[in-house]
Amino acid sequence: MKIKAVIFDMDGIILDTETLLAKYWCRAANEFGFPMEYKHALELRSLAGEYASPLLKKYFGEDFDYNTVRNRRKQLMEQDIEQNGLKKKKGIDTALDHIERLGLHKAVATATDMERAAKYLKTVGLMDKFDTVCCGPMVEHGKPAPDIYLFAAEKLGLDPSECVAVEDSPNGITSAYRAGMKPIMIPDLSQPDEELKKLLYRKCDSLEELPQVLEELII
């Protein structure tokens, strides 16, 4: 089926924020006495709270208060962004312009709430580049469940098989794959393992490679 839309994850694909998320997850957890390390934070990429909370309790015990630590992480991250600004991923502007020329729909599917997603996208001048922005709280189950990608396809009036999903994390790739989309991974903080590779339509080393892949899909 011909591809009609490209749906982007936000953190790590549109915005260069995954490093901040990992850094401040660890710092927030450490402030509350939990020995979270970088390897633990990597597992939280695009992972909905309903799955993240039990995972972190498994690692750090039943006393781990997910919402309290998460709120502190958000506070620390906002302070960093206010001080140092928000950066786009290299190549996102060119990729979006190319998608526009191809006549494809563009959407965002992020675990972030709408208030912050809109704020971040407006800050970097990209909010108006997308047909729709779909956020984790809008669906029953977050990533790696397929709900948010199914919702995004529905908002665009398309079948999921008509959509490409651009992701950087295992949880995001799994979500898109389960929704029946073509997942394209652009790794940010980690490379796909052998199991994840089986779910990928394609892996690109950067956003700069994405236009060529999309050209191939619409021929």
Side-chain angles (χ1 to χ4, degrees):
M1 189 174 289
K2 184 178 178 181
I3 292 302
K4 297 180 180 178
V6 184
I7 304 176
F8 291 84
D9 177 40
M10 187 175 73
D11 293 294
I13 291 292
I14 298 172
L15 303 177
D16 193 9
T17 45
E18 285 288 18
T19 301
L20 295 179
L21 285 161
K23 175 182 179 180
Y24 291 119
W25 263 119
C26 291
R27 184 172 297 180
N30 295 166
E31 285 185 5
F32 288 98
F34 300 106
M36 185 185 288
E37 300 175 16
Y38 184 73
K39 63 182 180 181
H40 302 122
L42 286 183
E43 294 189 49
L44 301 179
R45 288 172 297 166
S46 292
L47 188 64
E50 62 186 301
Y51 309 113
S53 181
L55 177 67
L56 293 170
K57 286 181 185 294
K58 183 181 77 171
Y59 286 141
F60 305 117
E62 289 298 316
D63 290 339
F64 191 96
D65 188 328
Y66 173 78
N67 289 324
T68 297
V69 176
R70 179 172 176 266
N71 286 336
R72 178 57 176 156
R73 188 272 298 163
K74 289 164 64 176
Q75 183 182 49
L76 290 168
M77 188 168 164
E78 287 296 324
Q79 290 172 356
D80 188 299
I81 291 172
E82 288 176 10
Q83 182 175 351
N84 300 305
L86 197 59
K87 296 178 182 178
K88 293 182 285 189
K89 294 292 287 186
K90 182 180 178 182
I92 186 63
D93 290 299
T94 301
L96 291 173
D97 288 345
H98 194 88
I99 293 167
E100 185 77 22
R101 288 194 293 271
L102 292 175
L104 302 175
H105 294 286
K106 305 181 296 299
V108 174
T110 177
T112 303
D113 62 84
M114 189 64 194
E115 181 180 357
R116 284 189 299 139
K119 176 183 176 182
Y120 290 174
L121 292 171
K122 288 176 182 177
T123 296
V124 297
L126 294 180
M127 185 67 182
D128 295 335
K129 294 281 188 177
F130 299 98
D131 298 281
T132 188
V133 176
C134 301
C135 300
M138 297 177 180
V139 296
E140 183 175 2
H141 301 293
K143 301 175 186 179
D147 300 32
I148 194 163
Y149 277 108
L150 294 173
F151 181 61
E154 180 183 348
K155 292 276 284 185
L156 293 171
L158 299 173
D159 188 275
S161 63
E162 298 176 297
C163 305
V164 163
V166 185
E167 279 278 0
D168 69 292
S169 71
N171 292 312
I173 290 293
T174 301
S175 174
Y177 179 83
R178 289 174 175 173
M181 297 189 178
K182 288 180 169 60
I184 295 177
M185 185 175 189
I186 304 178
D188 186 23
L189 301 184
S190 64
Q191 295 292 324
D193 60 21
E194 292 305 312
E195 286 302 307
L196 193 65
K197 287 179 181 178
K198 296 175 184 178
L199 309 186
L200 302 181
Y201 172 77
R202 190 74 62 85
K203 180 175 86 75
C204 297
D205 291 328
S206 70
L207 279 163
E208 292 160 335
E209 296 179 19
L210 183 61
Q212 180 58 43
V213 175
L214 296 176
E215 292 272 7
E216 296 169 8
L217 278 168
I218 64 173
I219 292 175

